Amino acid sequence: MINAPSLLPVLVFLAFVGLTLGISFYLGGKSKSASGYFAAHGQIPWFVNGVAFAGDYLSAASFLGICGMIAFHGYDGFLYSIGYLAGWVVALFVIAEPMKRMGKFTFADALNAKFNSPGIQLAAGISTLAVSIFYLIPQMVGAGVLVQPLLGFDHWVGVVMVGTVVILIVVTAGMVSTTWVQFLKGSLLVLFSALLTVMILQRGFDATEGGRDGHQFTTLELPGSLSVEEELAAAGYNVLPVEESWRAKKYYRVTRSDSTAALLLKDVGPPTETKRTLVECQSWKEVPQGLLVNEKLQGSAIAGQPPADLHPVGHIRSLPDGEQATGPLGPIAFLRVFSQSEIVLWGNEKLTNQDGSATTLYFPKITRGAEVLQPGAKFSGIRQSEFWPKMNFLSLMFALFCGTASLPHILIRYYTVKDAAAARKSTIVGIATIGFFYVLTLYLGLGAMTSGAMDVTNENMAAPLLARSMNEWLFAMISAIAFTTVLGTVSGLILASAGAVAHDILKGFVGLELTDHEQVRIAKLASVGVGMIAIVLGILFAKMNVNYLVGWAFSVAASANLPALVMLLFWKKTTKQGIIAAVVVGMVSSLGWILLSSDTFEQVYDVSRPEWLATLIPFSQPGIVTIPLAFATLIVVSLNTQPSRE
Amino acid sequence: MPPPAFSDSAFNSSANRIKAIPVSGSTSQADNARLGLRLFFVYSLFYLGFVIVCAFFPSWSGWELVPGLNLAIVWGFALIGLAFLLALVYGVACKAERVGLEESKEQAPR
């Protein structure tokens, strides 16, 4: 969709981001030593650290991705909320306190506390780097998404902006300022999401035939006894020719006898045996001059009409008892009315034309609300009887459960408080804040789904567009907060990676004798490098749901880090060779699995996957295979490398 | 700096084996770790149940407990609520131990 910037939100946005940076630079001036740079001297109050946990954790993925996924697929997005929060239980009950007692600056320190082995330091450093970069991708993609509707820039501009600002933050600041920035934006994010939820409940639902631009989507119910062409003609439509590939998918181009504008319809099958339903679709195609949307050049205008664009989507087609509008609803009534309504969701398919070009077609799916509130829309396999799709789902939920406690940028936050008790208390505050936010995500997502403001081409934009459908101020604030969310999370991640390079790899493994000062300087140089990589990857992965990408980062983290961490804490026979093997096997197997999965082939490489790979890797989420594999590796290697008894 | 040396049976989700964790370091640390693992076990079961119902009995998740609130929603909210509740229990219980064992508080290796 065309995103025209308006002055007020831009000003609010710039003021907010400027303030955040100001705080960051001011506090950054205060931390000069290595322990200040990496761990804020261990002096952050536990409550602040707890909310900062929420700030770190509620990344662009939580806010943009989960909202977007719920807005386009219903309950399945909420599964991520549940899984992300459950992961905190592992972090609090199993990992938090021992971690705090063992480490100093980085996750590798903790793993290496017992053995003091350069090998462990290297393996853990590399895994920190791999996980952080994987986790950085969705954050950068999210940044681009935010800048698009607000400032009207292209996606890549947003990615470069965030990359540059974050490199600036990390180079000038450190853990003290990142913590305070995270605290600030963690609280604001939850506060404004709560406000948005209240507004959604106040607004209630309206039954309409289209989105906020006033366009009414055509739905035709035909008798179903003759051919589609004959019935369309009988209903007063002229049927125009379409591409063969479109025809095969039951698309029809028609004009009404009283108009010249072509309409794209899709036969979505018979709701009953004697009827068929045709719904109005939208199309999207890249051409040399720009984008062709609904067969017009995007932005081109005929006198007296708004510039051609895709119509915003997301509406309720009918409310229970034939109501037109509900007025304000309570949180339970909201879900009840929703479950009894008919919702219009949108699916899409990319079809190849005769000239070799491709067109993406978006078609409405009229769905019962009750069905939207059940799992199985995105993970459609769980409603079928096949085995592998179910495994894919189990694997994801397992990885989310194990992933939180193995994310390096979350783990380093345990070193910013003074002792184990403070680590525990800040985790509890973190769980409360994050849990409350995740309850809100369901309302935000469903609110977005029915707001009539969704961009059918981009799931990630759901939350900011929802806010814009409320009012411009709120939109500016939410975008600014989400943007600083990205800034904060990205700085945390880059800091973790920089720590890995300077502290774990160069000092711990290579054995460079570095003064505190030099270590900080190398970390800053590493930050610039990692930041550049993140910018490039953020541009490459622009089209994927950011939440889905985060799911993968969790899988890699859980496979590479958790087995080593847990076994070190709970199994006396763990050896350093066992730890190194587990980290390497977990990391390589999970990364390899993801890069060769069908999802990556379809959505990133955009080529068809060889048949033999489908047999080898039958589902996309690696966790359920690679986490146990890393555990097994650790046990086998440790048992074979037991030190001889003295 | 020695890490707390847990026995090899500690990360076993069977509740009666969890009791057997011998922990070096202070007693409050041992108690906290044991409590943590028990709560972890309770939560894991609740989470596992949810995931299994979603994956293998998807038709159950649409079962309406009260109008508008189906099993999937109620269980999902309950998982979020339970995480917070157990975290609170853990926080309060750990604190109680610490009051009684004030002298051992600073034994944690740094």
Side-chain angles (χ1 to χ4, degrees), chain A residues 75 78 82 85-86 93 97 101-102 335-336 339 373-375 382 390 393-394 397 424 428 432 435 569-572, chain B residues 1 6-8 29 32 36 39-40 47 50-51 55 58 62 67-70 72 76 80 84 87 90-91 94 98:
Chain A
Y75 190 87
F78 192 54
I82 294 168
L85 188 76
F93 294 152
E97 291 178 50
R101 284 193 292 267
M102 279 162 49
L335 295 174
R336 189 185 63 237
S339 72
L373 295 178
Q374 288 174 42
I382 60 176
K390 289 181 191 293
F393 171 76
L394 289 180
M397 294 309 279
R424 183 169 65 228
I428 296 169
L569 295 177
F570 296 101
W571 194 45
K572 270 195 293 193
Chain B
M1 177 169 62
F6 291 82
S7 85
D8 50 357
Q29 264 180 39
N32 288 355
L39 295 175
F40 168 72
Y47 183 79
F50 173 76
V51 173
L69 293 183
N70 63 28
I80 294 177
F84 177 58
Y90 184 63
C94 287
R98 297 180 66 83

Side-chain angles (χ1 to χ4, degrees), chain A residues 492-506:
Chain A
L493 285 165
I494 291 190
L495 211 55
S497 325
V501 173
H503 186 78
D504 302 335
I505 301 178
L506 290 181

Side-chain angles (χ1 to χ4, degrees), chain A residues 40-386:
Chain A
H41 309 281
Q43 289 305 320
I44 300 283
W46 59 267
F47 183 81
V48 173
N49 203 52
V51 180
F53 262 135
D56 259 334
Y57 198 65
L58 298 178
S59 61
S62 291
F63 187 61
L64 302 173
I66 294 181
C67 282
M69 213 182 257
I70 297 177
F72 280 76
H73 307 284
Y75 190 87
D76 284 5
F78 192 54
L79 285 170
Y80 278 87
S81 291
I82 294 168
Y84 287 145
L85 188 76
W88 279 96
V89 169
V90 186
L92 172 64
F93 294 152
V94 186
I95 306 290
E97 291 178 50
M99 252 314 268
K100 174 66 194 166
R101 284 193 292 267
M102 279 162 49
K104 193 179 168 205
F105 290 155
T106 64
F107 160 71
D109 280 341
L111 266 195
N112 206 11
K114 185 173 168 187
F115 299 108
N116 203 12
S117 140
I120 293 186
Q121 202 90 16
L122 178 69
I126 292 178
S127 109
T128 300
L129 211 53
V131 172
S132 299
I133 289 180
F134 234 79
Y135 204 87
L136 270 170
I137 303 172
Q139 313 302 330
M140 300 304 277
V141 173
V145 163
L146 281 168
V147 169
Q148 256 177 311
L150 187 80
L151 306 177
F153 292 151
D154 278 343
H155 184 271
W156 69 268
V157 181
V159 176
V160 174
M161 264 173 72
V162 167
T164 317
V165 175
V166 163
I167 291 173
L168 262 180
I169 295 183
V170 179
V171 169
T172 50
M175 202 63 180
V176 177
S177 56
T178 13
T179 302
W180 284 96
V181 168
Q182 292 294 37
F183 169 73
L184 183 72
K185 123 254 132 159
S187 1
L188 284 175
L189 181 64
V190 174
L191 212 65
F192 273 84
S193 300
L195 181 69
L196 198 52
T197 306
V198 171
M199 291 172 81
I200 290 169
L201 295 176
Q202 281 296 313
R203 179 157 83 176
F205 297 120
D206 290 323
T208 58
E209 282 298 335
R212 298 184 76 78
D213 66 345
H215 176 81
Q216 303 216 331
F217 288 100
T218 306
T219 308
L220 291 180
E221 306 242 316
L222 300 177
S225 45
L226 302 169
S227 75
V228 182
E229 284 84 354
E230 285 168 320
E231 291 189 345
L232 279 170
Y237 290 91
N238 305 316
V239 181
L240 307 174
V242 285
E243 295 272 349
E244 198 45 49
S245 58
W246 298 26
R247 228 192 108 61
K249 294 281 183 183
K250 298 186 176 175
Y251 285 94
Y252 298 89
R253 275 176 79 231
V254 298
T255 51
R256 272 196 80 93
S257 29
D258 55 0
S259 151
T260 53
L263 206 58
L264 185 65
L265 298 172
K266 181 179 171 79
D267 181 357
V268 288
T272 63
E273 290 211 351
T274 54
K275 269 187 176 173
R276 67 161 58 95
T277 307
L278 271 77
V279 289
E280 181 183 340
C281 306
Q282 307 204 69
S283 66
W284 185 98
K285 183 186 178 185
E286 277 179 288
V287 289
Q289 303 90 324
L291 289 176
L292 212 53
V293 291
N294 296 336
E295 304 188 4
K296 296 191 190 85
L297 196 62
Q298 189 177 41
S300 64
I302 311 165
Q305 290 199 359
D309 199 2
L310 288 172
H311 302 294
V313 301
H315 62 277
I316 288 198
R317 196 157 170 259
S318 68
L319 287 164
D321 308 324
E323 264 187 302
Q324 274 308 304
T326 60
L329 292 166
I332 293 180
F334 181 88
L335 295 174
R336 189 185 63 237
V337 172
F338 185 91
S339 72
Q340 295 164 354
S341 306
E342 250 187 353
I343 320 290
V344 179
L345 300 178
W346 286 74
N348 66 73
E349 46 200 353
K350 194 173 183 180
L351 301 180
T352 312
N353 304 319
Q354 260 180 343
D355 61 4
S357 63
T359 307
T360 309
L361 298 169
Y362 298 92
F363 57 93
K365 298 183 292 187
I366 300 162
T367 317
R368 286 184 312 116
E371 206 174 305
V372 176
L373 295 178
Q374 288 174 42
K378 173 108 182 160
F379 303 105
S380 51
I382 60 176
R383 289 197 192 148
Q384 294 149 13
S385 55
E386 282 140 60

Side-chain angles (χ1 to χ4, degrees), chain A residues 75 78-79 81-87 89-90 92-94 97-98 100-104 113-114 331-332 335-337 339-340 370 373-375 381-384 387 390-391 393-394 396-398 400-401 418-421 424-425 427-428 431-432 434-436 438-439 442-443 446 566-573 631, chain B residues 1-11 21-23 28-29 32-33 35-41 43-44 47 50-64 66-77 79-88 90-92 94-95 98 105-106 108-110:
Chain A
Y75 190 87
F78 192 54
L79 285 170
S81 291
I82 294 168
Y84 287 145
L85 188 76
V89 169
V90 186
L92 172 64
F93 294 152
V94 186
E97 291 178 50
K100 174 66 194 166
R101 284 193 292 267
M102 279 162 49
K104 193 179 168 205
K114 185 173 168 187
I332 293 180
L335 295 174
R336 189 185 63 237
V337 172
S339 72
Q340 295 164 354
L373 295 178
Q374 288 174 42
I382 60 176
R383 289 197 192 148
Q384 294 149 13
F387 181 67
K390 289 181 191 293
M391 284 302 281
F393 171 76
L394 289 180
L396 170 73
M397 294 309 279
F398 185 52
L400 294 184
F401 191 56
K418 77 175 190 309
D419 57 18
R424 183 169 65 228
K425 281 191 271 189
T427 314
I428 296 169
I431 289 181
I434 295 165
F436 177 61
Y438 281 153
V439 171
L442 186 64
Y443 291 93
L446 296 178
V566 164
M567 295 307 269
L568 178 70
L569 295 177
F570 296 101
W571 194 45
K572 270 195 293 193
K573 290 183 177 165
F631 269 110
Chain B
M1 177 169 62
F6 291 82
S7 85
D8 50 357
S9 66
F11 191 65
I21 304 172
V23 181
S28 79
Q29 264 180 39
N32 288 355
L35 177 68
L37 285 179
R38 278 187 192 156
L39 295 175
F40 168 72
F41 177 62
Y43 192 85
S44 302
Y47 183 79
F50 173 76
V51 173
I52 292 205
V53 165
C54 284
F56 296 102
F57 308 96
S59 57
W60 293 9
S61 59
W63 175 47
E64 289 207 358
V66 273
L69 293 183
N70 63 28
L71 184 68
I73 295 208
V74 172
W75 205 330
F77 279 164
L79 273 166
I80 294 177
L82 186 69
F84 177 58
L85 196 73
L86 294 184
L88 269 188
Y90 184 63
V92 170
C94 287
K95 206 170 180 180
R98 297 180 66 83
K105 189 167 101 179
E106 291 307 318
R110 292 284 158 83

